[in-house]
Each structure stands twice: as structure tokens, then as C-alpha cells.
Amino acid sequence: MSGKQLSFVLFIFALLCATQIALIVSQIDKARVQLSNSSPGGLNFLLQTDSIFDEFRHTLSTYVQSSVNADPTPQQTEQYKKQFEMVWSALNVFSLKNPGKNTPLPQLAPLLKDANDFLEKTDPLISSNTPLTIEAAQSIYENTRQISERVHAVGHQYFILSSQQRDELNHRMDTLYRGFWFFGFLLFATAAISTYTLIRANRRSRFLVEESNKTHARLSEVVTELRSGKLERKAKDSFLAAASHDLRQPLHALGLFLGSLEKHVLPAGRPTMQKAQQSASVLTNLFSSLLDLSRLDAGVVKVFKKDFALQPLLQTLEQAFSSTAAEHNIRLVFDSVDATIRTDRVLLDRMLRNLIENAIIHSNGNELKISTRTENSNLLVDIEDDGKGIPNQEHHAIFSEYYQIGNPERDRSKGLGLGLSIVNRLSELLHTSLKIQSNVNQGCKFTLTIPLGRIESITPPTPAANNLLSQDAIDAVIAVIDDERDIREGMEIMLGDQGYATITADSDTELIAILNESDILPDLLITDYRLRENHRGDEAIFNVRKATNKTIPAIIITGDTSPKRVLEASKSGFRLMHKPAAPADLLDAIKQLLLARQRVSD
Amino acid sequence: MKKKFALLQKSTLLFLLTFLPVAHAQQLASPTGDVLLRITGNITTTNNGDSAEFDLAMLEAMTQTEFTTSTPWTDNPTLFTGVEVTRLLKAVGAGSTQIRAKALDKYWFDADTKNFANVPAIVAYKKDGNYMRIRDQGPLWIMLPFDDYPEALTETNKNICVWQLLEIVIL
């Protein structure tokens, strides 16, 4: 039943209940009046009156009989006088409290009148000092008999009447009884329906509250997303992913070509060549930061916290930035305490790099001071410049992507404006607090809070790992799968320059065919992630491994920056590199894998 | 010594005070005129054998109570004057609250005075300031102030309002 129908039924029931109550009350009132009228007093009164009349007549008849023989004694006269008084009294009350008071009996009025006449007429005779004559006594006797009979008849009428009234009362009581049952049922039904409705309403409202809570949560989520620019970021991510793949391919190829061209350029062309390489490296850097952001958003960056000394890290930074700082006429001051901290070393390094780089490029100051201090169980790292500062209202905005103060012409040599936004994501990822204190022309101070670590937990770096990178090129056959001819050629030239034998193919099937034909087994496999006809790099590797029946080490190079794709590619478990990969990085990775393979086969 | 005497005096006074009402109640005058009311049954104070008899003078000598009330047996509100039933019962040292009131016309009714304990029920000897004749439901009429105590208007209370009262029997 719907809520409306239920309410209607409830309303009808309530109406019925009210009617029923009104009915019952009126019936009860009638019964009450009837009960008070049909009191047993009336009947007893009739009985008394009858008996008084009898007594009087008996006294008179005795008087008449005794008067025939002798004079009446004073006792006898006293007797009938007293009896007459009582008759008077009885008739007095009878006229007041007559049985037909509420349901008038037709005989009553003439009876009362006659009785009154009789009393008035008889009184002088009775009250007189001379005793009653026999005739007078007989006449009074006769009158009394008549009155008495009429009173008796009225009494009988009253009896009949009260019987009827009693029946009526019984009937009324029956009605009341049934009415009460019906009323009780109605009341019960109403209560039951009300309870049911209440429970339903309660359940419904609880459901609605839950729903509204959910909606509220979702709304606030969306609002937060909107506020934090997450939605914007998502849209950007997908745009970047789509656009950058196409940009990366040529950039990647450009890097490879430039790398291999370097040796063949005449001395006169060297400066131009270097400029070209610089440009390529700036471009590569920009793409790398874009990609970093995508990777951070995809959540593929894993945090490995460990205890380590801060000092070496800062020293490396000092060395790395000394020349850049000199270029920008900024004095770098490192003033740090020797402390052990616990966080992800690589990510912290990235954060500090970005912050320092940002200060060098954008502050326009004279000095950049990196200092540390301990507070409670934390180490605070201050990166403080004395430059133009950041207006208060911009403090929040500088962490947004592509946001740059004072770069309206968007000079790309000053970067894309991603540095601080990467710092911000990293600080969230590391759960370190990043505070900014700055005002216009008063410099800018970023403060990082890093938990202190325990010095005894530091694991010394393995010497083998360091040696690995310093090895020279190794004799090896490298197979390259890429659906772009430019890349294949670039790779071939570059790898050839390094002394590697190269086999290139545009798909895994082609490669397998070549391998079968020439009966060569490659030592390493490099493949693009996104291949022709929706093939993926990891599938290609899998197929080649299956065909050669050998677990060939492999590198996947991907141009995808979309978080989903990056995540997918990283899940494949192969060494993953991003386009455009700098030739040096690629060669490093190749060396590492080949060495590892050697060690396994040793 | 003096103090002790004072104490003795005090206790004597107390003793007298305690027993004076009883002593007084035990002395019931004898009626000189016509006997209007007899109280019999479970009583300790009598003046004629086992019964206590009252004439009009004796009743009028007792503290009088009066009230105006309408009754089922009168046309208009009527002033009744008489002696409170409880006072009468105390005067005769009634051993029970159960009474039977008997009338001249042989009517009688039983009641418990507890039923109207808070209601000053009286044995009235005057109606509207006049003594009542037999034809006026006299000479004595038990009456309750129904107007002042509407809740007292019960069937039994109505029936204990005996007119032409002759005798009260303590049961």
C-alpha cells in the first residue's frame, strides 16, 4: 500500500474513532440519567405509601367497630390522628417525588389534586377535639380506599414504566458494549497502522538520510576535486597523454640522432651541435617533469623510507647547483647540521632539487641559504632566498601546475611551472609538511619538516652497485622493436656507435622471423610499449621469449604519460624507460641489464 | 521538693483533662419531655435501661449544626437545623460505626457512618427554622448537606436520610 493510501485509511479510521467516541459518550450520558431516575427508592417509596394507607384504614375500621359498642378512647383518637398525619406526610412526599416525574403518568395529576382535596377536607374532621362520628369515619375510610387504590394503580403504571426503562437501559448498555468493542478494534487498527506507517517512515527517512549523506560525501568530494584542481588535472593528464605520445616519438628519435651525430660533426659545427643538444635536453627535461607529475598522479611512485644522513645529500646538491647558481649570480650558502633523517632519499632529493632550482631561476635574489635545524623529533630544512618574494595571496597558487609568477610571456627556458607542484605532491606523498613564508620584496622561505631517523639504522651502500655503471660497453646483440622507422634507425646508429650489434624490427612477428632465419639469439630486447595494431611491448617481449625459449632481458620504452598507461606498463615488470630517453640513460640501462645477465650466467 | 509538687499538680491536671470528657459523656441527662429519639444497641452511655433517650430540650442543648441544601424531597433549598450524628454517637459512646435508622412508618435503613465521615450529617429537628410535624416528615429527619458535598449524593446516602426518625440502633 502506498503512503497516500495508508494516510487516507488512517484518516478514515481516526474519523470513525472520533464519531464512535461521541456516540459512546452520548449513550453513557443517557444511561447515567436513566440510572439516576430508576432508583430503587421510588419502588420502596410506593411500598411505604401503600403500607401507610393500609395502617390508616385499619385504624379507622377498628375505630368504627369499637365505636359501635362504646365511646372512643383518647388513645384511639390519638391513633387515627397520628395515622392521618403520616398519610399527609406520604402524600406530601408523593407529590414531590412522584414516580412519574421524568416520564409523566397521565393519571398522576388528577390523583394528586384529588388527594389534596381529600386531605384538606378531612383535616378539620380529624383535627377536631370531638371524636369522629361513625359515618364520618366510614366516609373517610371509603375516600382513603379510593385514593389508596389509585396510588396503587399509579404504582403499577410506574412498575411497568420502570420495566420499560430498565429494558431501554439494558439495550443501551448492549449498544455501548458493542460500541466499545468496535471502538477498541478501531483503536487497535489505527494504532497498528500508525505504528506501521511510523516504522516505514522511519526506515524511509533513515534510507534518505543515508542517501543524502552519500550524496553529500560525493558532492564534497567533487567540490574538493574542483577546488584542488584534480578534475582539471585529470583532463590535463588525458590531454597530455594523448598529445605527448606523438611529441615524444620525434623527440626521442631526435635525441638518438643527435647523440650519434656528435662524433661526426666537424669542429666548426660543434657549437651549433652543442646548442642543438642543449635544446634537446631542455625539451627532454620539460617532458620529464610532465611525466613525473603524471606518475605522481597515477600513484605509481613507491615510497621507500629509510634512515640516512642528510649531509652527503646536501653536498651533492651543492655541487650540482654551484654552476647554475653562478650563472644566475646567486650565492649558495649551505649551513646544515649533521643529522640522520628518515624518509625516501630519492624523492627528498627531488623535492630539494626542485625547490633550489626554483629559487635560483625565479627569485632574482643574491643569496640562497639552505639551513637545517632540529625541532622536537623533526629536522627542519629551510630554503631561504632574499629575492622578490611571493605576495601573500599567491602562496597557495604557486603550487598549482603551470603557474608562474612574473612570466606572462611564458619563457619556456624558465620551465613549465611544474616544479613546485611536483614538490607539493611529493610532500603529500612523504607526509612531510611544506611551509612557505614570504612577502613582496622580502624574500621567500620554504620550510620542510622531516622526521629524524636513527643513525644505527643506516645501511652502508654496496660498492658493487657503484661499480656497475662505470663498466665499458659489452659485446652484445640488441634487438629493437619499434613501429617507427626513424626510431629504429636512430637506435641502430646510436647502438652501433657504442659497439653493439643491432637487429631492428617493426613488430615481434617480424623479429621472430628474422631471428629464426639468421639463427641469432639477442642478448637484450628493447621495445616500444605501444606497438602497431594495439600490440603492447610486454606482449611482444613475451612472444619473443617464447619463440626463442630464452628469458631475454628487456627494456620497454614508453611515450605514454597517462597515469593509467604508466601504471599498466610498470605492472608488466620489465625495465621501464620513458620517451624521450636521453641516450646516456638508455646506454646505462643497457649496460646494467647486460652486466646482471652476465653475473647470472657466471 | 517544690518542683516535684508542681509536677504532681501538672500530672493531676492532665489526668483530669484526660478523663473529664469521658466522665461527662457518661452522665446523660434524662428526658423531661416527650421522647423523640432512642439510641440502642452497642452503646456505653444510657439513661433508660439499655437505651439512651432524648427529648427535644436535650437535643437542642447539644451543639447545633445547620446548613441549607436542596434535597430530592423538597421543592426549594431548605435550611435544616440539628445535631451532628457523630456527636450524638459519641455522646452515647457508640462502639461501632454501623447504624440502623428506624422511622415511624416502619421504614428502616442500614448504613456505615464512615460513608459520610467528612460530611456533617445531622439529625435535624428544625426545617426552615420551624419544628417539623409528622405531616412535614418530622419530628426528626436525618439530613446530609448534599449541595455542599455533591459527591455525597449516593443512593445509600439518600436512603439513610430517614424522615420521621424514631430510633437509631448501633449494630
Side-chain angles (χ1 to χ4, degrees):
Chain A
M1 229 193 285
S2 80
K4 255 187 188 170
Q5 279 173 310
L6 264 182
S7 315
F8 181 71
V9 170
L10 257 182
F11 176 71
I12 294 287
F13 272 41
L15 216 67
L16 276 172
C17 269
T19 329
Q20 193 71 18
I21 287 174
L23 208 80
I24 287 172
V25 166
S26 81
Q27 289 287 319
I28 285 177
D29 190 51
K30 276 183 193 161
R32 197 170 56 93
V33 171
Q34 240 168 8
L35 258 176
S36 77
N37 285 342
S38 66
S39 86
L43 274 174
N44 177 265
F45 174 70
L46 276 171
L47 204 72
Q48 290 294 126
T49 314
D50 210 33
S51 131
I52 289 165
F53 273 109
D54 272 358
E55 288 273 322
F56 184 48
R57 272 161 56 203
H58 178 70
T59 310
L60 282 178
S61 103
T62 326
Y63 175 79
V64 170
Q65 276 169 21
S66 60
S67 299
V68 176
N69 305 322
D71 282 347
T73 57
Q75 283 88 358
Q76 279 177 322
T77 51
E78 274 308 304
Q79 180 83 9
Y80 70 67
K81 275 182 185 173
K82 194 172 155 194
Q83 295 296 341
F84 180 72
E85 285 285 307
M86 286 176 68
V87 166
W88 191 308
S89 158
L91 283 172
N92 245 355
V93 177
F94 191 80
S95 66
L96 269 171
K97 194 183 158 43
N98 59 68
K101 212 172 177 183
N102 297 95
T103 41
L105 296 168
Q107 303 95 319
L108 198 65
L111 166 64
L112 285 177
K113 192 182 166 292
D114 291 351
N116 222 36
D117 286 350
F118 161 74
L119 289 176
E120 300 269 311
K121 248 194 280 169
T122 317
D123 191 29
L125 294 173
I126 297 276
S127 309
S128 124
N129 284 332
T130 46
L132 283 172
T133 57
I134 291 176
E135 291 77 30
Q138 276 172 340
S139 139
I140 290 169
Y141 179 88
E142 187 52 33
N143 286 340
T144 311
R145 194 184 59 80
Q146 280 173 15
I147 297 282
S148 158
E149 269 173 12
R150 285 170 69 186
V151 167
H152 192 87
V154 167
H156 211 82
Q157 285 295 328
Y158 173 68
F159 172 66
I160 292 165
L161 204 74
S162 70
S163 301
Q164 284 167 356
Q165 279 194 341
R166 185 52 57 164
D167 282 351
E168 214 175 293
L169 194 67
N170 279 345
H171 178 70
R172 187 150 285 144
M173 281 319 228
D174 281 353
T175 316
L176 271 175
Y177 177 73
R178 280 194 295 272
F180 262 114
W181 267 111
F182 184 56
F183 174 67
F185 167 75
L186 265 182
L187 211 65
F188 178 76
T190 313
I193 294 175
S194 313
T195 313
Y196 173 68
T197 324
L198 210 72
I199 289 170
R200 245 175 56 142
N202 191 30
R203 210 176 293 159
R204 175 100 187 114
S205 72
R206 208 182 308 144
F207 171 74
L208 282 177
V209 165
E210 271 168 27
E211 278 295 291
S212 85
N213 279 346
K214 271 187 213 160
T215 316
H216 180 79
R218 269 169 54 190
L219 256 177
S220 61
E221 212 173 274
V222 170
V223 167
T224 326
E225 277 189 356
L226 266 176
R227 279 214 187 114
S228 67
K230 226 181 188 176
L231 284 179
E232 227 178 292
R233 229 182 283 153
K234 273 181 189 167
K236 239 175 272 166
D237 283 345
S238 54
F239 168 74
L240 279 175
S244 68
H245 185 260
D246 296 333
L247 289 171
R248 268 158 203 279
Q249 295 289 12
L251 194 58
H252 184 54
L254 181 70
L256 295 177
F257 283 132
L258 282 174
S260 43
L261 191 64
E262 204 180 354
K263 287 176 187 169
H264 310 289
V265 174
L266 295 172
R270 285 271 158 85
T272 322
M273 179 68 205
Q274 269 173 5
K275 289 237 170 83
Q277 272 182 323
Q278 263 177 17
S279 296
S281 94
V282 166
L283 212 53
T284 309
N285 278 341
L286 291 179
F287 269 105
S288 295
S289 49
L290 257 182
L291 193 68
D292 281 340
L293 214 55
S294 298
R295 278 155 58 80
L296 282 170
D297 283 344
V300 290
V301 174
K302 295 270 167 4
V303 177
F304 297 105
K305 284 191 181 172
K306 58 174 188 177
D307 298 287
F308 63 93
L310 181 66
Q311 203 65 29
L313 178 70
L314 292 179
Q315 276 166 8
T316 323
L317 288 174
E318 195 172 1
Q319 283 164 15
F321 283 104
S322 57
S323 58
T324 326
E327 270 172 44
H328 285 83
N329 295 322
I330 286 182
R331 196 153 36 90
L332 267 183
V333 181
F334 276 80
D335 175 19
S336 60
V337 294
D338 191 18
T340 306
I341 50 173
R342 182 173 176 79
T343 186
D344 187 308
R345 191 192 158 112
V346 177
L347 298 181
L348 178 68
D349 178 75
R350 189 64 202 268
M351 279 171 85
L352 290 171
R353 269 173 197 275
N354 279 7
L355 284 171
I356 294 167
E357 198 178 351
N358 186 65
I360 291 174
I361 296 173
H362 301 290
S363 72
N364 289 353
N366 302 314
E367 190 185 85
L368 179 63
K369 188 177 172 188
I370 292 101
S371 56
T372 59
R373 57 202 156 102
T374 49
E375 189 183 281
N376 299 329
S377 58
N378 292 318
L379 181 81
L380 307 185
V381 182
D382 295 324
I383 295 119
E384 195 175 2
D385 65 57
D386 57 351
K388 61 186 176 188
I390 299 161
N392 238 329
Q393 66 269 20
E394 310 242 24
H395 283 189
H396 192 71
I398 53 162
F399 293 110
S400 309
E401 293 145 47
Y402 313 109
Y403 190 87
Q404 285 177 317
I405 300 170
N407 189 12
E409 69 277 18
R410 301 198 77 77
D411 173 5
R412 284 287 78 93
S413 71
K414 289 187 174 178
L416 280 173
L418 291 173
L420 287 183
S421 118
I422 290 173
V423 169
N424 193 33
R425 308 268 167 90
L426 284 172
S427 81
E428 277 170 17
L429 199 63
L430 292 178
H431 301 294
T432 53
S433 94
L434 175 65
K435 276 185 199 139
I436 174 168
Q437 257 182 300
S438 178
N439 236 321
V440 181
N441 295 328
Q442 284 173 15
C444 178
K445 180 175 164 187
F446 288 95
T447 304
L448 265 175
T449 308
I450 307 157
L452 283 168
R454 289 179 304 163
I455 196 154
E456 59 269 24
S457 315
I458 300 175
T459 46
T462 48
N466 287 340
N467 295 339
L468 215 73
L469 295 173
S470 59
Q471 295 275 330
D472 285 318
I474 305 149
D475 265 352
V477 180
I478 299 175
V480 177
I481 305 174
D482 203 309
D483 49 356
E484 301 251 347
R485 203 162 56 87
D486 283 353
I487 305 266
R488 286 204 301 273
E489 283 172 6
M491 290 287 279
E492 213 169 340
I493 296 166
M494 191 194 72
L495 292 174
D497 284 350
Q498 296 294 320
Y500 295 113
T502 318
I503 305 167
T504 58
D506 73 342
S507 69
D508 50 340
T509 40
E510 196 194 330
L511 180 69
I512 291 165
I514 294 170
L515 292 179
N516 282 343
E517 214 174 279
S518 55
D519 202 21
I520 295 173
L521 207 61
D523 298 292
L524 189 75
L525 196 58
I526 300 175
T527 174
D528 190 15
Y529 185 68
R530 220 196 280 182
L531 293 171
R532 204 166 288 167
E533 288 155 8
N534 271 340
H535 278 284
R536 293 203 315 265
D538 53 335
E539 289 168 355
I541 295 165
F542 185 70
N543 289 339
V544 172
R545 281 180 175 179
K546 202 175 162 191
T548 55
N549 206 14
K550 201 167 177 229
T551 315
I552 305 164
I555 297 172
I556 294 177
I557 304 179
T558 173
D560 280 307
T561 48
S562 100
K564 200 181 145 215
R565 292 295 194 129
V566 171
L567 194 64
E568 241 173 50
S570 79
K571 265 185 191 162
S572 68
F574 300 108
R575 182 64 178 265
L576 193 68
M577 298 198 72
H578 298 280
K579 286 183 191 173
D585 292 345
L586 187 58
L587 290 174
D588 270 358
I590 290 169
K591 267 186 219 165
Q592 273 183 39
L593 280 176
L594 289 175
L595 281 170
R597 195 182 63 99
Q598 270 186 353
R599 272 196 301 174
V600 170
S601 55
D602 286 350
Chain B
M1 196 61 191
K2 215 175 178 183
K3 217 173 180 183
K4 207 174 176 182
F5 178 71
L7 199 75
L8 198 76
Q9 242 185 348
K10 260 188 191 165
S11 55
T12 315
L13 197 71
L14 208 72
F15 175 84
L16 276 174
L17 276 173
T18 316
F19 289 92
L20 212 62
V22 179
H24 179 74
Q26 275 169 344
Q27 292 169 358
L28 195 64
S30 293
T32 48
D34 289 340
V35 172
L36 294 188
L37 177 67
R38 290 175 71 229
I39 302 180
T40 57
N42 185 4
I43 55 171
T44 53
T45 310
T46 58
N47 59 7
N48 186 6
D50 289 340
S51 63
E53 295 182 344
F54 294 86
D55 61 5
L56 187 62
M58 284 169 73
L59 288 174
E60 282 187 306
M62 298 177 79
T63 314
Q64 91 175 26
T65 305
E66 59 179 20
F67 50 78
T68 305
T69 184
S70 44
T71 77
W73 317 281
T74 50
D75 270 337
N76 304 306
T78 312
L79 172 70
F80 289 95
T81 313
V83 184
E84 261 189 67
V85 174
T86 43
R87 192 178 297 278
L88 268 175
L89 294 195
K90 206 185 270 174
V92 298
S96 161
T97 55
Q98 300 284 338
I99 60 164
R100 171 173 297 172
K102 290 181 171 180
L104 194 59
D105 58 4
K106 292 176 190 155
Y107 171 87
W108 55 266
F109 199 77
D110 288 350
D112 193 329
T113 54
K114 277 183 198 158
N115 288 351
F116 43 89
N118 304 319
V119 184
I122 60 170
V123 173
Y125 44 76
K126 272 183 184 173
K127 190 173 99 178
D128 283 333
N130 302 316
Y131 296 114
M132 295 175 275
R133 297 169 295 176
I134 294 176
R135 65 172 71 170
D136 306 319
Q137 284 79 43
L140 298 178
W141 192 350
I142 295 181
M143 185 52 66
L144 272 69
F146 293 115
D147 283 2
D148 296 339
Y149 302 86
E151 71 280 357
L153 193 65
T154 63
E155 202 63 28
T156 29
N157 279 0
K158 275 197 284 187
N159 291 340
I160 196 65
C161 287
V162 176
W163 60 74
Q164 293 163 351
L165 176 72
L166 264 193
E167 186 181 346
I168 294 173
V169 184
I170 312 296
L171 299 170

